[in-house]
PDB file of all heavy atoms in Angstrom:
ATOM      1  N   PHE A  29      70.850 111.651  75.358  1.00 97.00           N
ATOM      2  CA  PHE A  29      70.377 111.925  76.755  1.00 97.00           C
ATOM      3  C   PHE A  29      70.743 110.719  77.613  1.00 97.00           C
ATOM      4  O   PHE A  29      70.089 109.729  77.431  1.00 97.00           O
ATOM      5  CB  PHE A  29      68.832 112.120  76.705  1.00 97.00           C
ATOM      6  CG  PHE A  29      68.381 112.555  78.099  1.00 97.00           C
ATOM      7  CD1 PHE A  29      68.450 113.872  78.564  1.00 97.00           C
ATOM      8  CD2 PHE A  29      67.775 111.502  79.003  1.00 97.00           C
ATOM      9  CE1 PHE A  29      68.065 114.149  79.801  1.00 97.00           C
ATOM     10  CE2 PHE A  29      67.309 111.790  80.212  1.00 97.00           C
ATOM     11  CZ  PHE A  29      67.456 113.199  80.692  1.00 97.00           C
ATOM     12  N   SER A  30      71.815 110.852  78.321  1.00 93.00           N
ATOM     13  CA  SER A  30      72.363 109.635  79.043  1.00 93.00           C
ATOM     14  C   SER A  30      72.031 109.658  80.550  1.00 93.00           C
ATOM     15  O   SER A  30      72.483 108.673  81.194  1.00 93.00           O
ATOM     16  CB  SER A  30      73.886 109.672  78.796  1.00 93.00           C
ATOM     17  OG  SER A  30      74.488 110.953  79.306  1.00 93.00           O
ATOM     18  N   ASN A  31      71.306 110.586  80.949  1.00 95.00           N
ATOM     19  CA  ASN A  31      70.932 110.660  82.420  1.00 95.00           C
ATOM     20  C   ASN A  31      69.708 109.748  82.523  1.00 95.00           C
ATOM     21  O   ASN A  31      68.575 110.213  82.848  1.00 95.00           O
ATOM     22  CB  ASN A  31      70.666 112.053  82.816  1.00 95.00           C
ATOM     23  CG  ASN A  31      71.894 112.940  82.944  1.00 95.00           C
ATOM     24  OD1 ASN A  31      72.575 112.949  81.879  1.00 95.00           O
ATOM     25  ND2 ASN A  31      72.099 113.609  84.066  1.00 95.00           N
ATOM     26  N   LEU A  32      69.885 108.439  82.452  1.00 95.00           N
ATOM     27  CA  LEU A  32      68.797 107.517  82.481  1.00 95.00           C
ATOM     28  C   LEU A  32      68.817 106.586  83.766  1.00 95.00           C
ATOM     29  O   LEU A  32      69.962 106.378  84.268  1.00 95.00           O
ATOM     30  CB  LEU A  32      68.808 106.682  81.277  1.00 95.00           C
ATOM     31  CG  LEU A  32      68.674 107.407  79.883  1.00 95.00           C
ATOM     32  CD1 LEU A  32      69.033 106.513  78.796  1.00 95.00           C
ATOM     33  CD2 LEU A  32      67.280 107.864  79.759  1.00 95.00           C
ATOM     34  N   PRO A  33      67.729 106.126  84.259  1.00 95.00           N
ATOM     35  CA  PRO A  33      67.796 105.158  85.352  1.00 95.00           C
ATOM     36  C   PRO A  33      68.433 103.915  85.021  1.00 95.00           C
ATOM     37  O   PRO A  33      68.432 103.528  83.805  1.00 95.00           O
ATOM     38  CB  PRO A  33      66.182 104.958  85.635  1.00 95.00           C
ATOM     39  CG  PRO A  33      65.495 105.318  84.350  1.00 95.00           C
ATOM     40  CD  PRO A  33      66.319 106.386  83.680  1.00 95.00           C
ATOM     41  N   GLU A  34      68.923 103.291  85.976  1.00 93.00           N
ATOM     42  CA  GLU A  34      69.845 102.068  85.801  1.00 93.00           C
ATOM     43  C   GLU A  34      68.998 100.952  85.130  1.00 93.00           C
ATOM     44  O   GLU A  34      69.607 100.224  84.302  1.00 93.00           O
ATOM     45  CB  GLU A  34      70.309 101.561  87.097  1.00 93.00           C
ATOM     46  CG  GLU A  34      71.358 100.374  87.047  1.00 93.00           C
ATOM     47  CD  GLU A  34      72.659 100.750  86.366  1.00 93.00           C
ATOM     48  OE1 GLU A  34      73.021 102.005  86.403  1.00 93.00           O
ATOM     49  OE2 GLU A  34      73.305  99.799  85.902  1.00 93.00           O
ATOM     50  N   VAL A  36      66.940 100.959  82.622  1.00 93.00           N
ATOM     51  CA  VAL A  36      66.796 101.041  81.250  1.00 93.00           C
ATOM     52  C   VAL A  36      67.642 100.014  80.517  1.00 93.00           C
ATOM     53  O   VAL A  36      67.359  99.514  79.425  1.00 93.00           O
ATOM     54  CB  VAL A  36      67.112 102.383  80.601  1.00 93.00           C
ATOM     55  CG1 VAL A  36      66.191 103.401  81.198  1.00 93.00           C
ATOM     56  CG2 VAL A  36      68.571 102.821  80.707  1.00 93.00           C
ATOM     57  N   LEU A  42      65.815 101.026  73.395  1.00 96.00           N
ATOM     58  CA  LEU A  42      65.771 102.377  73.847  1.00 96.00           C
ATOM     59  C   LEU A  42      65.324 103.292  72.666  1.00 96.00           C
ATOM     60  O   LEU A  42      65.726 104.393  72.680  1.00 96.00           O
ATOM     61  CB  LEU A  42      67.091 102.822  74.362  1.00 96.00           C
ATOM     62  CG  LEU A  42      67.306 102.599  75.778  1.00 96.00           C
ATOM     63  CD1 LEU A  42      67.486 101.107  76.155  1.00 96.00           C
ATOM     64  CD2 LEU A  42      68.497 103.457  76.386  1.00 96.00           C
ATOM     65  N   LEU A  46      60.472 104.048  74.144  1.00 96.00           N
ATOM     66  CA  LEU A  46      61.069 104.632  75.368  1.00 96.00           C
ATOM     67  C   LEU A  46      60.301 105.682  75.836  1.00 96.00           C
ATOM     68  O   LEU A  46      60.203 106.733  75.219  1.00 96.00           O
ATOM     69  CB  LEU A  46      62.573 104.995  75.158  1.00 96.00           C
ATOM     70  CG  LEU A  46      63.403 105.342  76.344  1.00 96.00           C
ATOM     71  CD1 LEU A  46      63.562 104.306  77.299  1.00 96.00           C
ATOM     72  CD2 LEU A  46      64.625 106.151  76.029  1.00 96.00           C
ATOM     73  N   LEU A  50      60.966 109.775  80.870  1.00 97.00           N
ATOM     74  CA  LEU A  50      62.397 109.585  81.327  1.00 97.00           C
ATOM     75  C   LEU A  50      63.163 110.783  80.972  1.00 97.00           C
ATOM     76  O   LEU A  50      64.337 110.892  81.432  1.00 97.00           O
ATOM     77  CB  LEU A  50      63.017 108.292  80.661  1.00 97.00           C
ATOM     78  CG  LEU A  50      62.313 106.985  81.156  1.00 97.00           C
ATOM     79  CD1 LEU A  50      62.939 105.874  80.475  1.00 97.00           C
ATOM     80  CD2 LEU A  50      62.411 106.801  82.639  1.00 97.00           C
ATOM     81  N   ALA A  87      66.746 108.114  73.321  1.00 97.00           N
ATOM     82  CA  ALA A  87      67.810 108.772  74.083  1.00 97.00           C
ATOM     83  C   ALA A  87      69.199 108.812  73.428  1.00 97.00           C
ATOM     84  O   ALA A  87      70.111 109.470  73.887  1.00 97.00           O
ATOM     85  CB  ALA A  87      67.833 108.072  75.506  1.00 97.00           C
ATOM     86  N   VAL A 292      73.609  99.672  75.067  1.00 94.00           N
ATOM     87  CA  VAL A 292      72.396 100.197  75.592  1.00 94.00           C
ATOM     88  C   VAL A 292      71.762 101.187  74.666  1.00 94.00           C
ATOM     89  O   VAL A 292      70.709 100.958  74.079  1.00 94.00           O
ATOM     90  CB  VAL A 292      72.569 100.844  76.993  1.00 94.00           C
ATOM     91  CG1 VAL A 292      71.306 101.386  77.521  1.00 94.00           C
ATOM     92  CG2 VAL A 292      73.235  99.785  77.978  1.00 94.00           C
ATOM     93  N   LEU A 293      72.448 102.309  74.306  1.00 95.00           N
ATOM     94  CA  LEU A 293      71.812 103.313  73.638  1.00 95.00           C
ATOM     95  C   LEU A 293      71.468 102.945  72.142  1.00 95.00           C
ATOM     96  O   LEU A 293      70.449 103.395  71.564  1.00 95.00           O
ATOM     97  CB  LEU A 293      72.669 104.552  73.536  1.00 95.00           C
ATOM     98  CG  LEU A 293      72.862 105.345  74.879  1.00 95.00           C
ATOM     99  CD1 LEU A 293      73.926 106.454  74.750  1.00 95.00           C
ATOM    100  CD2 LEU A 293      71.563 105.781  75.446  1.00 95.00           C
TER     101      LEU A 293
END
Side-chain angles (χ1 to χ4, degrees):
F29 185 82
S30 55
N31 293 53
L32 296 167
E34 187 67 23
V36 298
L42 268 75
L46 183 70
L50 297 178
V292 180
L293 293 177

